[in-house]
Amino acid sequence: FVNLEDNSKSTEFMYMGGANLELSRNICLLAEYTNLSSLADKNFNGLISVGFRFRSEKTAWEIGGIRPLEKVEGLILFPILKATLTF
């Protein structure tokens, strides 16, 4: 996506926005948008990720998916699974 060795542009901005909807005490719905300034300059519409977070006292599990906002043939969502353990 981005060539980090390219010195023609000295700064890179990452744009992110998200929402968190609490469905219950232990479950929430997540949605996030991400884009980079160099990709936005090339008319890339960014990435959207959606999923659910299941949490307990010491752990949290996120299951969801990510995809570009552009039409991608045959891709619905690229799956994501993340676990967090609090010590």
Side-chain angles (χ1 to χ4, degrees):
F1 278 59
V2 178
N3 181 1
L4 298 177
E5 299 293 323
D6 185 7
N7 294 326
S8 63
K9 198 171 189 182
S10 60
T11 58
E12 180 72 49
F13 293 103
M14 177 179 275
Y15 306 97
M16 297 181 80
N20 182 358
L21 177 63
E22 299 285 332
L23 301 176
S24 73
R25 183 175 176 265
N26 296 327
I27 301 172
C28 63
L29 177 65
L30 308 169
E32 296 176 338
Y33 169 79
T34 306
N35 206 346
L36 298 172
S37 58
S38 62
L39 295 176
D41 291 343
K42 297 176 183 174
N43 295 325
F44 180 68
N45 292 330
L47 299 171
I48 186 83
S49 59
V50 294
F52 291 94
R53 179 180 293 143
F54 304 94
R55 54 181 180 240
S56 67
E57 188 175 318
K58 297 240 180 215
T59 61
W61 291 86
E62 293 179 18
I63 185 167
I66 189 167
R67 68 163 285 130
L69 284 176
E70 314 217 341
K71 185 175 181 179
V72 179
E73 199 69 35
L75 176 66
I76 297 172
L77 289 172
F78 184 78
I80 297 173
L81 177 63
K82 179 181 132 185
T84 305
L85 177 63
T86 306
F87 296 96

